[in-house]
């Protein structure tokens, strides 16, 4: 799940300066003369330094004489003391040592300095013979070596940690030829999206498939961090697109750099990059993904430097300076952002043995547990300076959604041992059911939004993930409520399917209302868009896994066909501005989460259950699978079992 799309910040790109002479044609001769003069000046300074070293540095031979004399005096003295005889004569013997050997040593030292001086002169002459480009290349090589040495010094290798004892990644062949054909079609759609991104947007965060160029939004700052590459890695691996996976791995190894002066969303970078890298590591075993995830996590830690420990929404990867979105309630942090770190940070502590990541997310939990909650609900805004709630707005859609998801999944990823997280989830769901879940006059169950004591009868596409969450959390519910929550999940899935079925293009709008006669239909023009979102298909997949009702595969195939028919363009896949218009207008963005989530959930929907079984894997909110950490493998604080 991702937060609602934000307007990108505008900025001016400054071209890199070309320091070659071609950039300054009127000063070519001047540059040649000045560069030769500078080289001669450096050479003369070097010669002066060598002569200075020869004449003015302390005579090291004197130090040698002192050491030798001391040895001659003390060693015989000690030996004589041991014997108890002739101590005085032995001391005099040391002081009367022949000086001929010392003169030889001084001469040898002078010869060595002279040879070093002559060699330096020869090297300087050779330098003068080289062209400017050769000298520059040598300087650049030395700089690169220095940078690599500093990186190795600053980033010592992580300890090798055994991967949890996971079952072999199965092919997931569904057996049924018709289902297999559908699955192959989803794989072909993935290849079309990836190939076009690689051709037209490689290294950029996302793709503009119609303009055929790279695209980015302000959640990634002004950086080109290859978000689509990192987000798509595990999908490629799961689908068996291993050549494409290796291309992505090579890019990550060579180009993924977090030491950039860019202000990024802590939430988005965590779920897409850290989640994507960790999943790629667990699936493939390639250490580079783990190492990159840890490097990035270290860059996010300064965001937690607030009076309360509630992190800022954004952080500059280079400076560590953090701040919140200007539009958030009175400078507040957002529940779905600071509450969607637990899965990734627990795994970071597991892999590194460093408790700092676990401590950060547990501190957030402890703070939330102490706070009063209006009607038992968690408001969407919390001020990181004061520790007080902002505007009393509660949503299971945007701004709140994945906070509740991560309470449940914190319990699941702990092998169902984190009972505190399970209790918080159950308590929150109970309050949501009492205050937010209603049935429309047409019989559709929906989840509204609570705003200042009033229920708004509107549901967002983002909220549609909740059907799958309720089904996932049914087992383990208090009392005998498992069947109730599975049924509630099915009702939410049905409502979200209706939001798709009631459009012209059979794709769901961003938000839909339940007012009067209009049910599961968008009323405002700015709510009629579809940006390749995954939440409805995600719920179909979870419902399929828990019920094997064939309607969920049918509904998923309807959505896949609509995406293929209306969103596919020659350069990839694009979002649509109005799903109620018969002629689609494109937004010209291929979102990274389309490859990470939408296509992955479709592929899993048409695969057998042994492909990433839910007993062993927990999917983060960007659909990146992370393994359940059994206590026998755990290094979390409080668990004393060795890794």
């Amino acid at each position: 799940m991702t937060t609602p799309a934000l307007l990108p910040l505008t900025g001016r790109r400054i071209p890199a300066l070309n320091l070659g002479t071609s950039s300054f044609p009127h000063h070519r001769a001047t540059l040649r003369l000045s560069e030769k003069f500078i080289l001669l000046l450096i050479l003369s300074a070097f010669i002066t330094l060598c002569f200075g070293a020869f004449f003015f540095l302390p005579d090291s031979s004197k130090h040698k004489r002192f050491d030798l004399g001391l040895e001659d005096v003390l060693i015989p003295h000690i030996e004589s003391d041991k014997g108890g005889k002739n101590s005085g004569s032995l001391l005099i013997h040391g002081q009367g040592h022949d000086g001929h050997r010392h003169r030889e040593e001084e001469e040898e030292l002078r010869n060595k300095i002279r040879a070093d001086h002559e060699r330096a002169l020869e090297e300087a002459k050779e330098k003068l013979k080289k062209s400017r480009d050769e000298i520059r290349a040598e300087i650049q090589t030395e700089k690169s070596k220095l940078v690599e040495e500093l990186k190795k010094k600053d980033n010592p290798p992580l300890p090798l940690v055994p991967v949890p004892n996971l079952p072999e990644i199965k092919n997931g062949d569904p057996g049924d030829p018709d289902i297999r054909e559908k699955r192959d079609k989803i794989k072909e759609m993935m290849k079309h999206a990836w190939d076009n991104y690689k051709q037209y947007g490689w290294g950029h965060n996302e793709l503009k498939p119609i303009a055929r160029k790279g695209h980015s939004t302000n959640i990634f700052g002004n950086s080109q961090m290859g978000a689509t590459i990192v987000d798509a890695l595990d999908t490629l691996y799961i689908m068996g697109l291993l050549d494409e996976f290796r291309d992505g791995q090579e890019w990550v190894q060579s180009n993924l750099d977090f030491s950039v002066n860019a202000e990024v969303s802590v939430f988005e970078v965590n779920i897409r990059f850290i989640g994507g890298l960790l999943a790629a590591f667990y699936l493939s075993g390639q250490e580079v993904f783990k190492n990159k995830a840890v490097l990035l996590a270290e860059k996010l830690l300064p965001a937690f430097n607030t009076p309360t420990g509630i992190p800022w929404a954004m952080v500059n990867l280079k400076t560590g300076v953090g701040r919140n979105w200007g539009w958030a309630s009175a400078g507040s942090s957002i529940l779905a952002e600071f509450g969607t770190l637990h899965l990734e940070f627990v795994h970071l502590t597991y892999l590194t043995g460093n408790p700092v990541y676990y401590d950060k997310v547990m501190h957030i939990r402890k703070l939330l547990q102490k706070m009063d909650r209006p009607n038992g609900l968690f408001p969407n805004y919390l001020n990181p300076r004061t520790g007080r709630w902002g505007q009393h707005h509660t949503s299971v859609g945007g701004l709140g959604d994945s906070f509740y998801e991560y309470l449940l999944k914190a319990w699941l990823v702990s092998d169902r041992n984190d009972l505190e997280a399970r209790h918080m989830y159950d308590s929150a769901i109970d309050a949501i059911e009492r205050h937010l879940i209603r049935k429309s006059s047409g019989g559709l169950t929906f989840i509204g939004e609570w705003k200042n004591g009033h229920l708004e009868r509107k549901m967002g596409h983002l909220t549609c993930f909740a059907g799958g969450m309720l089904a996932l959390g049914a087992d383990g519910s208090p009392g005998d409520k498992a069947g109730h929550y599975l049924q509630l999940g099915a009702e939410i899935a049905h409502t979200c399917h209706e939001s798709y079925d009631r459009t012209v293009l059979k794709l769901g709008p961003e938000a839909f209302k339940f007012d009067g006669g209009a049910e599961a239909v968008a009323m405002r023009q700015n709510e009629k868009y579809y940006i390749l979102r995954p939440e409805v298909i995600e719920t179909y997949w979870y419902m399929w896994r828990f019920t094997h009702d064939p309607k969920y595969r049918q509904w998923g195939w309807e959505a896949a066909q609509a995406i293929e028919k209306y969103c596919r363009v020659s350069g990839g896949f694009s979002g649509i501005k109005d799903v109620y218009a018969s002629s689609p207008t494109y937004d010209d963005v291929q979102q990274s989460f389309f490859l990470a989530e939408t296509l992955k959930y479709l592929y899993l929907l048409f695969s057998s259950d042994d492909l990433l079984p839910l007993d062993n894997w927990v999917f983060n909110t960007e659909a990146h699978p992370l393994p359940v950490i059994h206590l026998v493998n755990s290094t979390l604080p409080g668990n004393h079992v060795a890794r």
Side-chain angles (χ1 to χ4, degrees):
M1 267 63 67
T2 50
T3 49
L6 303 172
L7 292 175
L9 297 171
T10 57
R12 186 174 296 172
R13 182 174 297 164
I14 302 173
L17 291 174
N18 182 355
L19 297 179
T21 56
S22 58
S23 299
F24 309 96
H26 301 295
H27 304 285
R28 201 172 286 168
T30 308
L31 271 177
R32 286 204 190 99
L33 287 172
S34 62
E35 288 184 358
K36 286 185 177 179
F37 176 75
I38 290 168
L39 286 170
L40 288 170
L41 192 63
I42 293 170
L43 175 62
S44 62
F46 188 83
I47 294 169
T48 305
L49 182 66
C50 290
F51 277 110
F54 180 74
F55 287 108
F56 298 111
L57 285 178
D59 188 354
S60 61
S61 64
K62 290 178 182 177
H63 297 290
K64 286 188 177 182
R65 266 205 308 276
F66 175 78
D67 293 336
L68 288 167
L70 192 66
E71 184 182 11
D72 286 345
V73 170
L74 291 180
I75 293 175
H77 179 65
I78 292 168
E79 288 175 351
S80 69
D81 282 348
K82 287 176 184 176
K85 298 177 182 177
N86 303 322
S87 60
S89 63
L90 284 165
L91 282 167
I92 294 167
H93 168 77
Q95 291 171 346
H97 198 280
D98 183 20
H100 178 70
R101 197 176 87 194
H102 301 312
R103 285 194 295 272
E104 287 180 348
E105 288 176 353
E106 286 177 1
E107 185 62 30
E108 184 180 341
L109 184 61
R110 287 194 179 92
N111 290 336
K112 183 177 183 303
I113 293 172
R114 192 177 293 112
D116 290 343
H117 172 62
E118 289 173 356
R119 185 167 61 252
L121 280 176
E122 288 300 318
E123 289 177 0
K125 288 177 184 176
E126 290 299 318
K127 291 281 185 189
L128 284 174
K129 291 177 184 178
K130 293 182 179 180
S131 69
R132 180 176 54 234
D133 291 339
E134 289 175 319
I135 293 172
R136 279 183 180 150
E138 285 185 6
I139 292 171
Q140 189 58 46
T141 300
E142 291 302 318
K143 283 171 68 178
S144 299
K145 285 181 182 176
L146 182 60
V147 167
E148 288 302 316
E149 287 173 6
L150 288 173
K151 280 184 180 178
K152 289 176 183 176
K153 184 179 178 182
D154 293 340
N155 303 306
L158 294 170
L160 288 174
V161 180
V163 176
N165 186 21
L166 297 169
E168 180 186 354
I169 305 299
K170 303 287 186 181
N171 174 270
D173 190 323
D176 185 321
D178 179 59
I179 301 300
R180 187 185 298 124
E181 185 179 347
K182 290 179 170 64
R183 190 174 86 138
D184 289 344
K185 177 58 184 175
I186 304 303
K187 183 175 179 178
E188 186 277 328
M189 291 168 69
M190 178 67 182
K191 190 155 176 27
H192 178 71
W194 174 265
D195 288 347
N196 279 281
Y197 167 77
K198 186 179 179 186
Q199 184 171 356
Y200 301 117
W202 192 241
H204 289 268
N205 290 314
E206 290 170 325
L207 170 69
K208 294 177 78 68
I210 297 171
R212 298 189 178 189
K213 62 180 183 180
H215 169 75
S216 191
T217 65
N218 62 336
I219 59 174
F220 304 116
N222 56 359
S223 61
Q224 293 184 21
M225 294 169 62
T228 294
I229 298 173
V230 179
D231 234 359
L233 282 168
D234 55 2
T235 308
L236 294 169
Y237 193 91
I238 291 163
M239 291 185 179
L241 295 169
L242 297 185
D243 289 339
E244 290 80 359
F245 177 84
R246 280 187 282 269
D247 289 340
Q249 178 180 337
E250 186 177 326
W251 187 91
V252 166
Q253 177 115 30
S254 304
N255 300 287
L256 187 55
D257 180 20
F258 303 121
S259 60
V260 291
N261 187 16
E263 189 179 54
V264 301
S265 163
V266 175
F267 163 73
E268 296 286 356
V269 166
N270 176 62
I271 65 171
R272 301 192 199 206
F273 284 84
I274 294 181
L277 290 166
L278 290 177
F281 165 68
Y282 282 121
L283 291 169
S284 70
Q286 297 297 314
E287 291 280 323
V288 62
F289 300 125
K290 178 185 75 173
N291 294 337
K292 293 284 187 179
V294 174
L295 286 175
L296 177 54
E298 289 171 354
K299 296 285 187 178
L300 297 186
L301 287 178
F304 293 82
N305 295 335
T306 66
T308 60
I310 297 295
W312 299 113
M314 292 176 288
V315 69
N316 187 297
L317 293 177
K318 190 175 184 69
T319 66
V321 175
R323 69 180 178 94
N324 277 341
W325 301 109
W327 51 264
S329 174
S332 292
S333 298
I334 296 165
L335 183 69
E337 296 194 337
F338 67 77
T340 308
L341 302 165
H342 193 96
L343 293 186
E344 297 82 4
F345 276 46
V346 162
H347 270 278
L348 287 166
T349 286
Y350 168 69
L351 289 172
T352 64
N354 186 349
V356 65
Y357 307 106
Y358 178 81
D359 290 344
K360 295 294 185 188
V361 291
M362 289 306 294
H363 176 79
I364 293 171
R365 181 190 291 181
K366 298 300 182 189
L367 183 68
L368 291 175
Q369 284 181 315
K370 294 175 184 176
M371 298 184 67
D372 291 330
R373 299 194 296 277
N375 296 317
L377 298 170
F378 288 92
N380 290 338
Y381 300 107
L382 180 61
N383 191 303
R385 291 189 176 90
T386 66
R388 295 193 182 96
W389 296 118
Q391 177 188 357
H392 283 190
H393 173 207
T394 297
S395 168
V396 185
L399 307 179
D401 49 10
S402 47
F403 165 72
Y404 306 100
E405 175 190 359
Y406 269 41
L407 289 177
L408 172 63
K409 291 180 176 178
W411 174 66
L412 291 171
V413 84
S414 73
D415 200 19
R416 305 191 175 204
N417 285 287
D418 188 349
L419 299 180
E420 184 179 69
R422 177 76 215 203
H423 175 72
M424 289 180 71
Y425 170 78
D426 290 332
S427 176
I429 293 302
D430 180 65
I432 287 166
E433 190 169 11
R434 281 186 286 113
H435 296 286
L436 303 186
I437 297 180
R438 295 289 184 269
K439 197 174 284 274
S440 72
S441 56
L444 296 177
T445 301
F446 67 93
I447 307 175
E449 297 189 7
W450 191 264
K451 288 190 176 179
N452 297 316
H454 170 71
L455 181 67
E456 186 176 10
R457 298 170 67 86
K458 180 177 80 170
M459 187 170 172
H461 194 292
L462 288 162
T463 319
C464 285
F465 92 97
M469 177 183 72
L470 291 166
L472 182 63
D475 184 25
S477 297
D480 55 354
K481 285 191 169 183
H484 166 71
Y485 284 119
L486 189 61
Q487 177 60 31
L488 190 55
E491 291 176 16
I492 297 298
H494 173 67
T495 298
C496 293
H497 175 256
E498 286 299 308
S499 77
Y500 273 54
D501 202 45
R502 296 180 187 192
T503 69
V504 173
L505 304 184
K506 304 302 178 185
L507 292 167
E510 182 69 7
F512 41 95
K513 292 201 170 185
F514 298 86
D515 283 338
E519 295 193 357
V521 175
M523 304 302 291
R524 297 178 180 175
Q525 188 59 42
N526 64 356
E527 295 175 343
K528 295 181 177 179
Y529 60 87
Y530 173 71
I531 56 171
L532 306 170
R533 285 203 187 276
E535 291 78 21
V536 175
I537 295 165
E538 174 184 357
T539 279
Y540 294 164
W541 174 62
Y542 278 112
M543 293 307 303
W544 163 257
R545 278 282 176 105
F546 291 115
T547 70
H548 282 191
D549 187 329
K551 73 181 179 186
Y552 296 114
R553 277 182 166 172
Q554 180 57 37
W555 290 354
W557 184 240
E558 288 171 7
Q561 286 180 304
I563 292 169
E564 173 73 6
K565 184 175 181 180
Y566 297 112
C567 299
R568 182 169 183 149
V569 295
S570 59
F573 289 87
S574 170
I576 291 172
K577 294 182 179 179
D578 187 348
V579 292
Y580 299 96
S582 55
S583 299
T585 304
Y586 299 111
D587 67 8
D588 195 19
V589 179
Q590 180 176 281
Q591 305 277 352
S592 80
F593 58 70
F594 177 65
L595 292 82
E597 300 185 75
T598 311
L599 292 174
K600 183 187 285 121
Y601 284 131
L602 281 169
Y603 188 79
L604 291 171
L605 180 60
F606 300 113
S607 298
S608 58
D609 292 359
D610 61 358
L611 177 55
L612 301 176
L614 292 173
D615 287 340
N616 302 105
W617 298 89
V618 177
F619 287 72
N620 88 335
T621 198
E622 191 80 357
H624 296 308
L626 301 174
V628 170
I629 300 175
H630 302 282
L631 280 179
V632 71
N633 290 317
S634 181
T635 60
L636 301 186
N639 295 324
H640 304 292
V641 181
R643 253 192 311 223

